[in-house]
Amino acid sequence: MSATPAMGAAEAPPHRPRRTPTLFQAALPVVIMLGLVIPGSIWLRLNPVVLLIAAGTCAGIIARWLGVTWDEMLRAIREKIDSAMPALLILVAIGMLIGTWTLCGTIPMIVDFGLRVIQPSWIILVAFLITMVVSTMTGTSWGSVGTVGVALMGVAGGLGASLPMTAGAVVSGAYFGDKMSPLSDTTNLAPAVAGSTLFEHIRHLLYTTVPAAVVSAAVYLVLGLAQDTDAHAAARSDALRTVLDHAFDFNVLLLLPPVVVLAGAIMKKPPVPTIVLSSVVAAVLGMVFQGFTIHDVSDAAATGFDVTMLAGHGVDPAQLPEAAQVLLNRGGMTSMAQTILIGLVGFALAGILTEAGCMDVLMHHLLRRVRRTGGIILATSISSLGTALAMGVSYLAILIPGQAFKEVYRERGLAAKNLSRTLEDSGTVFVPLVPWTEAGMYMSTTLGVATLAYASYAFLNYLGAVFAIICGFTGFGIARIKKSSATAQQPSPASA
């Protein structure tokens, strides 16, 4: 017999009314997350995925206490993951690309050329400049790191240069283009959120990004000249070149895979099909010129290239120098599994925090304390950095503070391009310096250097925010709404 309506109503749990979190309740899940992840991943060496799951569980309990149902949390999580799907697909494609580029000889050939022409004292500066140019042309920081970045790390290892310094320079150069290139997604997103236009946003970024790039280049030059390479560096470089020359057949056609990626970026083609096409081209070249089998291609694309594949080329894998093994044993779609898990869990946590209203409350309390121009720029920067720490996503580090501060900038007579610039200077570039974020895990996995090891050398990634704050307090490079504009209803406040 079916249950009566009264019985069904009695069995259903009562719905708890939704409540707006207090400042303490809004800050508590963020504090718990930082308290778990920072000491857990840095000092205890615990898996960040597990730590983020624990933080997400605590956030879910707090959200439920505030009246958010599980269905509402699940819907918010699905929305966040759905927005992250393009980035997750790029991760998988980049893993395949690195494996096939290694198999066909593209990365070994670039490394071999770099070992011939670059001096150890110049590799850090060169790494910064090359990735800066490539990322500006392609508009992708991840693609730049996964291609030329990997090759530059191989050159640095062969030359005996500092890998953390080189990785920091690669990340800095990659995010220069992520900020400045009109092809970059975040460069288009920031002005759209703030209410400015793309090219006025890029021109306004020159006030902060160019000084940050100049200072970074100068420091990389000094670090390169000052580093001590041991007496055996030249011998290791020669040994690595000997291995590469013997194991691979180099020719100019091996540059076709990078050309495909570059052409796709310039033509504004979708990144995933472009990367897959480049991988297919690399796979064909690997079979034609290097003599690898279809099984080798499949393994390199799925699990990464392995030096054991060179056994049929007259190379004894067991006798290879360590530098060669580090360079060649890389790539594959499965190598991105940890990074993808970080992204999924991080977006789940972000969904819960957003649905519970925690970020809205934190932003509201922050906005109540700013009055002058310098304080507004500083508050924008802090909120972007905080969002990056709490949610670990460049898009959210732009969207959430951008939506919160947009009206504030208008009311204070500040042009929207000030907001879009500060969002890029603080949000976009800070995410790869955080170990538990998807970008941080990607950079660490791809470059083979721990996030915290390279973070202190990624100077451009935080110097932009420093120069943005300096502009805010000095008034230099601050654009104001013209008094004739209908939106400027009151005089602009003086700079702090």
Side-chain angles (χ1 to χ4, degrees), residues 4-333:
T4 64
M7 291 175 61
E11 292 172 359
H15 178 69
R16 183 176 299 168
R18 179 80 71 93
R19 299 193 305 275
T20 301
T22 64
L23 177 60
F24 173 77
Q25 292 168 336
L28 184 58
V30 178
V31 172
I32 291 174
M33 186 273 293
L34 296 176
L36 286 172
V37 174
I38 292 178
S41 60
I42 296 175
W43 297 307
L44 300 179
R45 307 292 183 183
L46 299 178
N47 192 305
V49 175
V50 176
L51 296 172
L52 283 174
I53 290 175
T57 302
C58 295
I61 293 172
I62 294 171
R64 187 69 190 94
W65 176 260
L66 293 170
V68 182
T69 66
W70 167 246
D71 287 340
E72 291 170 333
M73 283 187 270
L74 189 60
R75 174 181 52 78
I77 291 171
R78 284 199 301 263
E79 290 176 354
K80 296 297 183 185
I81 293 178
D82 181 64
S83 68
M85 193 54 61
L88 297 179
L89 292 176
I90 289 174
L91 279 174
V92 175
I94 286 288
M96 179 170 59
L97 179 140
I98 294 173
T100 54
W101 278 28
T102 303
L103 175 133
C104 80
T106 296
I107 290 177
M109 185 175 72
I110 296 174
V111 171
D112 181 80
F113 178 77
L115 292 174
R116 293 175 187 273
V117 301
I118 301 175
Q119 296 296 319
S121 57
W122 290 93
I123 181 59
I124 299 176
L125 176 61
V126 168
F128 173 64
L129 296 177
I130 289 179
T131 49
M132 186 173 72
V133 171
V134 172
S135 63
T136 303
M137 294 176 65
T138 62
T140 167
S141 55
W142 288 19
S144 301
V145 169
T147 53
V148 296
V150 172
L152 288 165
M153 291 300 294
V155 175
L159 295 174
S162 167
L163 295 184
M165 290 183 186
T166 308
V170 166
V171 172
S172 285
Y175 275 85
F176 177 94
D178 202 304
K179 289 172 63 178
M180 299 298 295
S181 174
L183 303 176
S184 169
D185 49 3
T186 56
T187 306
N188 284 271
L189 176 64
V193 171
S196 60
T197 64
L198 173 62
F199 288 103
E200 73 175 3
H201 165 67
I202 292 175
R203 287 193 297 269
H204 209 51
L205 272 169
L206 296 175
Y207 285 102
T208 56
T209 307
V210 170
V214 171
V215 172
S216 298
V219 175
Y220 291 137
L221 175 60
V222 172
L223 289 176
L225 295 174
Q227 70 176 336
D228 293 324
T229 55
D230 60 71
H232 302 290
R236 287 201 305 269
S237 176
D238 291 340
L240 178 57
R241 282 180 48 207
T242 300
V243 170
L244 297 179
D245 291 342
H246 183 62
F248 296 92
D249 180 17
F250 297 143
N251 64 80
V252 70
L253 290 179
L254 300 186
L255 295 177
L256 280 177
V259 169
V260 170
V261 173
L262 181 60
I266 294 175
M267 297 169 64
K268 298 184 179 180
K269 298 298 182 181
V272 172
T274 301
I275 294 172
V276 171
L277 176 59
S278 176
S279 300
V280 171
V281 172
V284 173
L285 293 174
M287 290 187 289
V288 172
F289 292 109
Q290 313 303 344
F292 289 110
T293 66
I294 188 66
H295 298 288
D296 294 329
V297 170
S298 176
D299 290 342
T303 60
F305 187 83
D306 191 276
V307 293
T308 57
M309 297 178 184
L310 297 173
H313 292 62
V315 176
D316 183 1
Q319 300 300 318
L320 289 178
E322 182 181 358
Q325 297 188 40
V326 172
L327 170 66
L328 299 175
N329 288 337
R330 61 172 61 245
M333 292 180 282

Side-chain angles (χ1 to χ4, degrees), residues 341-357:
L341 281 175
I342 286 283
L344 291 173
V345 178
F347 272 97
L349 175 60
I352 294 172
L353 292 176
T354 302
E355 185 66 22

